[in-house]
Amino acid sequence: MATKRRPFHLVVFGASGFTGQFVTEEVAREQVDAQEGSRLPWAVAGRSREKLQQVLDRAALKLGRPTLPSEVEIIVCDISNPASLDEMAKQATVVLNCVGPYRFYGEPVIKACIENGASYVDICGEPQFLELMYWKYHEKAAEKGVYIIGSSGFDSIPADLGVIYTSNKINGTLTAVECFLTIHSGPEGLCIHDGTWKSAVYGFGDYRSLVKLRREASLKPVPIVGPKLKRRWPVSYCRELGSYSVPLMGSDVSVVKRTQRYLHENLEQSPVQFAAYLTVGGITSVVKLMFAGLFFLFFVRFGIGRQLLIKFPWLFSFGYFSKQGPTQKQMDATSFTMMFFGQGYSQGCSPEASKPNVRICTQVKGPEAGYVATPIAMVQAAMTLLNDASDLPRAGGVFTPGAAFSRTKLIDRLHQRGIEFSVISSSEV
């Protein structure tokens, strides 16, 4: 990708937001690594110069790098001012967009990036926005030769690349995967900033729009290889993990399915069926979650209900979401594990004539998902755009992480920074 003509390789847009400050710190860490080889010129961008300066000052103190604020440029721009977004995009090779909910604030940034030749990554977990941006901008991005890659945080890089990793490691052809996410929290419990909560409230409240978008797309079904993967009950028991589970909400299923479509249609790979679940522990946790879910689904249907959910996230989420977000102690004590249970066929075994005869279990594990793993994933996605250009899809466009990065070194980059991919077991049945 052309970087010489632009002053900044990376620009973190929304750096003064809750997640943006952690992404800023992660880019600063990457800058130290890059200095051993090549320089990494970068900038932070947002509405308030003063707040951006404070973020840089805090990062300098936290990382023990007093010279950091003088090494990073500040760009003042605003979602409501398209000219300022254009000016930002003209200076960037890759824009890292941390401003959500993306359904309200994402499109102007994507538009500015495409029109001004900058590539783009975000950490969106909103399927409707992600799919709509593909239909609106894929061809325009391809014409400009830029890469627009959504869901490049915890939603949905571990799941999307986890399936690709599993497919690469199986001794044969992978046909179906069930993924189980487990969040491990410390003695002070788990907490998530309410920005994620808002995205969920607006997404569920406007679910009909996503259904309509998919109906209008009228895509040809991706072929099912081997037996059809059965959906589990809304509450089911996973014997392998000794835990109850519920369907995992968010963008993972949507993103993985779009990746598998791309790999099948463009690279002639055998498509993988996918389902994702969240482990919730024992029966007491299941009851709590059911009550929280019923409250949420009832209130989210009405305008006044959505206002209440957004105004009192801590109350309606039973303390899991708050306007303050997690403390540093909570983040330090939290981690995630994703287990992938896959099945498929050995070489020379026909899916039409037999049952799956190969099983594999892989794992992706890492630090706290929202504000440690997400910045790592986002920054390494951006660095992959900068450094692995020859392994990206030939033309630009709007891509899922798996579609864009399936042939790159992104898994290795993540592994080196604490998001680890591994094979737990593999056997023929």
Side-chain angles (χ1 to χ4, degrees):
M1 294 175 65
T3 57
K4 292 180 182 177
R5 294 183 301 244
R6 294 173 182 257
F8 308 118
H9 289 190
L10 305 178
V11 172
V12 181
F13 179 59
S16 58
F18 189 82
T19 307
Q21 62 185 324
F22 295 109
V23 174
T24 300
E25 291 172 11
E26 190 60 32
V27 176
R29 293 187 188 96
E30 189 64 35
Q31 182 191 26
V32 172
D33 293 342
Q35 281 177 349
E36 296 173 7
S38 58
R39 188 168 160 268
L40 180 70
W42 63 291
V44 292
R47 289 180 297 178
S48 167
R49 179 177 290 275
E50 183 183 355
K51 287 183 179 179
L52 292 168
Q53 189 65 56
Q54 289 171 0
V55 167
L56 291 175
D57 291 341
R58 282 198 301 269
L61 189 64
K62 186 174 178 179
L63 300 175
R65 289 178 54 195
T67 61
L68 179 65
S70 64
E71 297 166 5
V72 185
E73 294 291 329
I74 291 176
I75 301 171
V76 178
C77 60
D78 192 334
I79 289 287
S80 62
N81 184 346
S84 71
L85 294 179
D86 288 338
E87 194 57 35
M88 172 188 70
K90 286 174 185 174
Q91 300 179 70
T93 303
V94 182
V95 171
L96 291 74
N97 183 13
C98 304
V99 180
Y102 290 90
R103 65 170 51 238
F104 300 130
Y105 307 119
E107 186 171 357
V109 187
I110 287 177
K111 190 175 180 184
C113 286
I114 293 172
E115 289 177 354
N116 295 283
S119 287
Y120 164 104
V121 294
D122 69 34
I123 46 177
C124 177
E126 305 162 42
Q128 183 189 346
F129 174 80
L130 294 164
E131 294 180 31
L132 181 62
M133 291 303 98
Y134 172 81
W135 292 114
K136 287 186 76 168
Y137 292 106
H138 179 65
E139 291 183 1
K140 293 177 184 176
E143 287 170 12
K144 288 280 190 173
V146 300
Y147 297 87
I148 307 297
I149 305 169
S151 56
S152 292
F154 181 73
D155 294 296
S156 290
I157 278 182
D160 204 15
L161 294 186
V163 173
I164 289 172
Y165 177 84
T166 307
S167 183
N168 290 339
K169 293 298 181 180
I170 196 170
N171 185 22
T173 300
L174 185 69
T175 59
V177 169
E178 286 187 315
C179 167
F180 291 85
L181 167 64
T182 303
I183 301 293
H184 315 278
S185 59
E188 297 197 15
L190 181 71
C191 184
I192 305 169
H193 188 257
D194 77 327
T196 303
W197 176 259
K198 286 177 184 174
S199 297
V201 170
Y202 291 124
F204 276 93
D206 194 28
Y207 186 74
R208 287 189 183 89
S209 296
L210 177 58
V211 174
K212 182 183 176 186
L213 177 67
R214 289 173 174 171
R215 192 185 304 122
E216 289 173 350
S218 61
L219 292 168
K220 186 173 72 173
V222 175
I224 294 173
V225 181
K228 186 174 182 180
L229 186 61
K230 293 178 181 177
R231 280 189 182 180
R232 291 174 177 253
W233 289 95
V235 177
S236 64
Y237 187 74
C238 177
R239 284 192 308 246
E240 294 90 344
L241 299 177
S243 174
Y244 286 94
S245 67
V246 297
L248 180 62
M249 300 293 108
S251 61
D252 283 359
V253 172
S254 164
V255 168
V256 170
K257 286 183 176 180
R258 288 171 57 214
T259 293
Q260 292 304 313
R261 174 180 291 280
Y262 172 86
L263 296 176
H264 173 67
E265 293 178 351
N266 294 274
L267 302 181
E268 298 181 352
Q269 294 185 14
S270 180
V272 179
Q273 301 172 70
F274 179 73
Y277 302 93
L278 172 70
T279 65
V280 293
I283 198 69
T284 306
S285 299
V286 170
V287 172
K288 281 184 184 177
L289 193 69
M290 285 176 67
F291 273 107
L294 288 170
F295 269 115
F296 183 88
L297 291 173
F298 175 77
F299 278 89
V300 83
R301 293 168 60 194
F302 311 103
I304 191 166
R306 291 193 288 275
Q307 290 175 25
L308 287 169
L309 287 168
I310 287 166
K311 192 171 183 180
F312 304 107
W314 189 87
L315 176 66
F316 287 101
S317 69
F318 289 75
Y320 284 115
F321 291 85
S322 77
K323 293 182 183 295
Q324 294 75 37
T327 64
Q328 190 62 51
K329 277 187 178 180
Q330 284 176 316
M331 288 192 290
D332 291 342
T334 303
S335 62
F336 78 88
T337 304
M338 269 187 172
M339 302 295 294
F340 298 82
F341 297 99
Q343 64 181 29
Y345 295 84
S346 59
Q347 298 291 344
C349 187
S350 171
E352 289 82 16
S354 59
K355 293 181 180 179
N357 67 336
V358 178
R359 296 195 183 280
I360 186 170
C361 174
T362 62
Q363 174 183 268
V364 179
K365 66 176 183 178
E368 190 275 336
Y371 314 105
V372 184
T374 283
I376 290 171
M378 186 185 210
V379 172
Q380 291 313 312
M383 295 304 296
T384 302
L385 283 175
L386 289 174
N387 296 314
D388 293 2
S390 61
D391 297 321
L392 298 170
R394 191 172 299 170
V398 179
F399 295 99
T400 59
F405 300 131
S406 65
R407 294 179 168 181
T408 68
K409 300 181 181 70
L410 178 54
I411 288 177
D412 296 334
R413 294 177 191 279
L414 295 171
H415 200 92
Q416 290 167 11
R417 283 159 179 80
I419 300 177
E420 301 174 2
F421 293 67
S422 60
V423 176
I424 303 302
S425 63
S426 181
S427 61
E428 285 197 30
V429 180

